[in-house]
Amino acid sequence: ISIHCGAGVLRLQSLKFLLEKMSQLEKDIVPQWMEMQRNASLLEHPDATFEIVGKQWFEGLMAGAKQALHRAINVVSSQTAYCVIYRDMQSEFLDNIYYTGVHRSCDNITSDVLPFLDGVLGYVASRLDSQSRNVVAAALLEATVSGWMRVLLDGGPARVFTSGDIEPLEEEVEILSDFFIAGGQGLDAAMVAERVAPMTALLSIMSLSTNDLTKNYEEQATKEAAAAMTGAHAPSKPSSDPNADVFNSEVTLRVICHRADHAASKWIKARFSIGKTESSGGWFAF
């Protein structure tokens, strides 16, 4: 286990300890506050059960402190997860998977990523309670999807994809989802579906033909340019849509640039006035 994961778990243990102590402190102080009010003769009868003066203020103070601790737990979990994906797994994940194509490569999510994540989650589960473990697991899933999408959209010249790659990629999405659901022992299925939704949306874009992709790009670019001129937002998707970030001209163009297709290469050269270059002679020379 890396230093990033170990340090993150240690911080989470500290935050969880503070949260538990704060809850206990709240339980101890409220009765003492009530007793102090009685002793000060601020209540007409020692057995009175109506609201104690100042109790709401203290409860609000404690609630705010606990909310701050919960936010800190979420932030630390997210930082730890992204360090695991973008630092600890940079070679295995960002540099290696699909390096020679989805079908040709023996490096993929199932073989390279999940075994490492399994070790991380095992380490986390043995040191944190189930609630904190699930927060870390959700952050790891989000970071994994982020890194995976980066591979598909910003993978460099060695990574190109075809429409035939969609089926095995969809299978890996299912495997990843099942891994985090863990037969009902892990994350909630609805939460997992929400976290992998951007990846699913991206695959739906990648499944389009080159002709449809180029048409979509022109339409999206035109709408976005018009929206920029008027200062409005492009009307591509509602802001409440969790997949809205992938339905734009930039993502569509990246998909076209990573398309192993002569028509895509020809369109890019014509659209952006790129001169002819010699064939690289690599796996996907087109």
Side-chain angles (χ1 to χ4, degrees):
I1 296 300
S2 71
I3 188 173
H4 303 110
C5 182
V9 168
L10 183 60
R11 293 188 184 100
L12 289 171
Q13 288 175 328
S14 300
L15 290 169
K16 188 65 177 180
F17 174 80
L18 290 175
L19 192 60
E20 292 173 351
K21 287 299 181 182
M22 187 165 292
S23 297
Q24 185 60 47
L25 183 65
E26 184 177 15
K27 292 179 182 178
D28 293 341
I29 287 182
V30 170
Q32 293 179 15
W33 174 265
M34 294 172 65
E35 184 64 24
M36 183 182 71
Q37 296 284 50
R38 291 189 181 94
N39 293 339
S41 300
L42 295 179
L43 296 177
E44 295 182 358
H45 192 279
D47 296 326
T49 58
F50 54 83
E51 198 67 32
I52 305 299
V53 177
K55 180 182 176 183
Q56 298 91 333
W57 172 84
F58 177 76
E59 290 178 342
L61 179 67
M62 298 300 288
K66 286 189 285 187
Q67 287 178 1
L69 285 173
H70 281 297
R71 286 195 297 268
I73 288 173
N74 290 333
V75 169
V76 172
S77 297
S78 181
Q79 289 177 340
T80 301
Y82 276 84
C83 280
V84 167
I85 297 300
Y86 282 91
R87 291 186 179 181
D88 301 337
M89 298 192 67
Q90 178 177 347
S91 177
E92 296 85 350
F93 196 165
L94 303 179
D95 296 340
N96 290 351
I97 65 170
Y98 313 140
Y99 193 73
T100 55
V102 174
H103 288 282
R104 289 185 175 91
S105 179
C106 61
D107 300 305
N108 52 48
I109 295 293
T110 304
S111 63
D112 285 25
V113 177
L114 293 190
F116 191 93
L117 292 182
D118 187 50
V120 171
L121 289 174
Y123 180 85
V124 170
S126 66
R127 288 162 175 79
L128 296 175
D129 62 288
S130 59
Q131 184 178 7
S132 300
R133 177 206 65 192
N134 286 344
V135 174
V136 176
L140 270 175
L141 175 56
E142 181 179 291
T144 301
V145 171
S146 172
W148 198 357
M149 292 178 67
R150 180 171 180 176
V151 167
L152 297 180
L153 294 174
D154 194 20
R159 289 190 177 106
V160 288
F161 306 96
T162 69
S163 57
D165 295 331
I166 303 305
E167 183 176 350
L169 288 173
E170 288 177 338
E171 291 176 357
E172 289 212 292
V173 171
E174 292 183 9
I175 293 172
L176 179 69
S177 299
D178 291 341
F179 172 80
F180 277 94
I181 294 172
Q185 301 299 313
L187 298 177
D188 180 71
M191 175 188 291
V192 171
E194 180 181 352
R195 297 299 172 98
V196 302
M199 183 66 185
T200 303
L202 174 58
L203 293 182
S204 71
I205 297 173
M206 293 176 63
S207 68
L208 298 176
S209 67
T210 299
N211 185 52
D212 287 338
L213 285 171
T214 56
K215 288 181 179 179
N216 286 353
Y217 172 79
E218 297 294 357
E219 292 176 359
Q220 291 167 341
T222 300
K223 290 179 180 178
E224 290 166 8
M229 291 291 291
T230 60
H233 295 289
S236 56
K237 285 284 179 178
S239 58
S240 59
D241 189 336
N243 306 325
D245 289 343
V246 303
F247 292 103
N248 57 66
S249 62
E250 180 181 351
V251 170
T252 302
L253 180 58
R254 287 174 180 268
V255 171
I256 298 172
C257 289
H258 286 78
R259 175 62 60 91
D261 178 63
H262 176 72
S265 176
K266 183 178 180 180
W267 179 86
I268 291 171
K269 292 176 181 179
R271 179 65 173 76
F272 298 99
S273 302
I274 301 175
K276 293 183 178 181
T277 58
E278 294 183 2
S279 172
S280 62
W283 286 101
F284 297 103
F286 57 89

